[in-house]
Amino acid sequence: MRQKLKFLCTSILFCLCLGMFGQQIKDADQYFNIARDLAFNDEKEAARDSLFNLLRVYPNYIDAAVLLAKLDSWDGDYTKARGQLNKITSKERNHREAWMAAIRNERYAENFQTALGLTQKAIHYLGEDAELEDIRQDLITTLTTTPEIKEQLKKEKRLDERKHTIAVFTGAETFDQIYDPIYRGEVNYQHRSKIGVVIPQVHFSQRLDTVGAQYGLEYYPIISTKWHGYAGYFYSKAAIYPKQTAGVELYREFSKGKEASLGGRYIQFANGGTAFIGTGSFGIYKGNNYLSARPYVALKYNGGIGVSGTLLGRCYFRDGDNFLGARLTYGFDSQLNQFIANDRLLSETLLYLESQRLDLEYQFSNKKGSNLYTIYAGVRRQELAFDSGSFFWSVNAGFRYQIRFK
């Protein structure tokens, strides 16, 4: 009680002196110590005013600048604190407390990869330091045992109150021979709830002066913390789409950022043919990166097997809405793009043609995370169905816009 009373009296006296004498500071260290006591006793605004006043008179008083950045970090303004601390550490390479404050700031912000980089820089400039080495080892353990981006994605799903999303897609693909360009479009609505995500959607396409639409409904149920699934059904009367497509898949999450799935797709084509495609996936999160492999095995109703596979890689940036990705496909095109050649629809035949495809995607969001923008680009090499051993090339590009709201 006596100690608190003494601090209160000191603070009052300090504030009075500050008002009376303004920038006349004779003992900078004593002035800083009082400001630090104010900060540690949760008098943050008074501490800030004092530190600003001190820095006006002594602009090179580094401890005051570091404490100011700490106050921002304690208030959760990690970006502002990061900018201040970066300026300090870029000039004062041997200021240990500045490095420690910068590392703590990134740990508070859960930017563990950045925190590790700062720790290694601090060790480089400061030399051997037992505490910094312990922090470095702890961060390495965190990054190698905790799938950072996966946990972040889960956290965002829990905290995001925007349950509704409307998405619009448009794209085109051009060919170096035989085929005219293909134009595609899509509109979908996503509703997210505690039991999963439901996505009704409509796809449009124009191929060789043939225009058609495909209608579908997808559901991603949440079964438990470790299990989730997929179920989808699509229908179309247009010859350029399969007549019916249905699919189910079950996903299981494992430790250390690993996940796997197993499922299948049933396809009925407009000409009456059918096919079953078995599929699955294995993915792993490592830091801010994700890698997934997915095979496809197509079984034709009257015999024959087609094999395909995709490899997907993504590098996430500040959150799960911002990433750069690449998808490599070998074998038949899992999107089941159909063509017409010599007035004949190439339907299930496409499941057994040799093909290679590379697609790139870049997604970014606005500051509030309510709008998402995705840019697609890709190239494909595929065997001609009516000329075995001959191939055509194509390039594609597309853009998707999503708006999310409560």
Side-chain angles (χ1 to χ4, degrees):
M1 183 67 181
R2 184 181 297 175
Q3 211 169 13
K4 288 185 177 180
L5 185 60
K6 181 180 178 182
F7 173 75
L8 182 60
C9 293
T10 304
S11 300
I12 293 172
L13 181 61
F14 176 76
C15 292
L16 289 172
C17 292
L18 177 62
M20 291 173 60
F21 299 107
Q23 294 184 349
Q24 295 178 11
I25 301 172
K26 294 181 179 180
D27 191 333
D29 291 337
Q30 182 181 7
Y31 195 92
F32 172 75
N33 289 337
I34 295 174
R36 183 180 59 191
D37 289 341
L38 286 168
F40 290 160
N41 283 275
D42 207 27
E43 298 288 339
K44 294 179 183 177
E45 290 308 313
R48 277 192 176 91
D49 291 340
S50 307
L51 292 168
F52 278 126
N53 193 49
L54 178 59
L55 287 169
R56 277 194 294 269
V57 181
Y58 298 96
N60 296 322
Y61 202 113
I62 304 302
D63 288 343
V66 172
L67 183 54
L68 262 178
K70 284 183 180 180
L71 288 170
D72 290 326
S73 184
W74 296 344
D75 284 342
D77 195 345
Y78 307 122
T79 302
K80 185 176 180 182
R82 181 182 302 117
Q84 293 175 335
L85 291 166
N86 283 347
K87 289 179 182 178
I88 296 170
T89 54
S90 63
K91 295 179 181 178
E92 302 291 333
R93 298 292 194 183
N94 297 319
H95 198 289
R96 186 178 186 278
E97 188 54 34
W99 286 110
M100 295 297 292
I103 294 165
R104 292 191 198 101
N105 182 63
E106 299 304 334
R107 295 184 79 174
Y108 295 154
E110 297 185 357
N111 296 327
F112 302 118
Q113 191 73 48
T114 304
L116 178 60
L118 288 172
T119 304
Q120 293 178 160
K121 278 187 177 182
I123 293 173
H124 172 74
Y125 288 113
L126 299 174
E128 293 185 9
D129 187 298
E131 185 179 3
L132 283 170
E133 184 59 34
D134 288 342
I135 293 173
R136 190 178 79 87
Q137 292 300 327
D138 182 60
L139 286 167
I140 290 173
T141 301
T142 299
L143 287 170
T144 54
T145 60
T146 303
E148 179 182 338
I149 192 63
K150 186 170 186 178
E151 294 303 315
Q152 186 177 343
L153 292 172
K154 285 184 178 179
K155 183 179 179 182
E156 288 168 7
K157 288 179 181 178
R158 289 195 301 268
L159 296 179
D160 192 355
E161 296 179 354
R162 293 180 286 257
K163 295 180 171 59
H164 309 280
T165 302
I166 295 176
V168 178
F169 168 80
T170 182
E173 185 172 8
T174 61
F175 306 87
D176 70 332
Q177 58 177 302
I178 307 297
Y179 302 113
D180 291 332
I182 292 176
Y183 303 98
R184 301 185 182 90
E186 178 188 340
V187 177
N188 71 51
Y189 163 73
Q190 302 177 30
H191 175 70
R192 184 174 59 83
S193 67
K194 293 181 180 179
I195 60 172
V197 181
V198 178
I199 310 175
Q201 54 199 277
V202 182
H203 298 219
F204 306 93
S205 185
Q206 178 182 337
R207 307 173 193 174
L208 293 171
D209 297 324
T210 301
V211 179
Q214 182 186 55
Y215 308 91
L217 180 66
E218 293 181 306
Y219 175 44
Y220 294 84
I222 299 173
I223 302 170
S224 69
T225 55
K226 295 293 184 182
W227 295 89
H228 61 281
Y230 165 81
Y233 176 77
F234 294 85
Y235 175 79
S236 178
K237 290 184 178 180
I240 54 178
Y241 286 104
K243 184 177 181 180
Q244 296 186 87
T245 303
V248 293
E249 194 158 353
L250 186 62
Y251 294 80
R252 172 70 160 88
E253 296 182 11
F254 298 94
S255 60
K256 297 184 179 180
K258 298 181 178 66
E259 64 178 17
S261 70
L262 187 64
R265 310 285 189 270
Y266 171 79
I267 304 166
Q268 181 185 22
F269 295 96
N271 63 358
T274 61
F276 172 79
I277 300 177
T279 187
S281 68
F282 177 78
I284 183 169
Y285 293 84
K286 194 74 172 179
N288 283 344
N289 301 305
Y290 173 70
L291 184 65
S292 173
R294 175 179 289 275
Y296 296 92
V297 179
L299 305 176
K300 193 177 177 182
Y301 68 101
N302 59 356
I305 296 178
V307 179
S308 178
T310 65
L311 188 65
L312 170 67
R314 280 181 179 173
C315 176
Y316 291 89
F317 304 121
R318 68 174 186 267
D319 56 31
D321 291 334
N322 296 265
F323 60 81
L324 178 65
R327 185 192 304 269
L328 179 64
T329 301
Y330 182 85
F332 64 84
D333 183 2
S334 59
Q335 295 183 12
L336 292 177
N337 292 307
Q338 297 196 83
F339 301 93
I340 297 173
N342 298 327
D343 297 322
R344 182 169 66 88
L345 177 68
L346 306 177
S347 53
E348 71 267 27
T349 306
L350 294 174
L351 297 175
Y352 310 99
L353 297 177
E354 184 179 343
S355 177
Q356 302 87 39
R357 182 176 183 133
L358 174 64
D359 293 288
L360 303 177
E361 57 180 348
Y362 173 58
Q363 180 171 294
F364 58 97
S365 65
N366 62 349
K367 290 184 178 180
K368 294 182 179 180
S370 58
N371 297 335
L372 300 180
Y373 311 88
T374 313
I375 301 170
Y376 301 90
V379 61
R380 171 166 51 155
R381 175 181 179 268
Q382 182 168 309
E383 185 179 11
L384 288 165
F386 51 85
D387 188 4
S388 180
S390 297
F391 293 81
F392 67 80
W393 286 86
S394 72
V395 294
N396 68 86
F399 176 76
R400 183 182 300 273
Y401 170 68
Q402 300 178 67
I403 180 170
R404 302 190 293 199
F405 52 95
K406 295 183 180 180

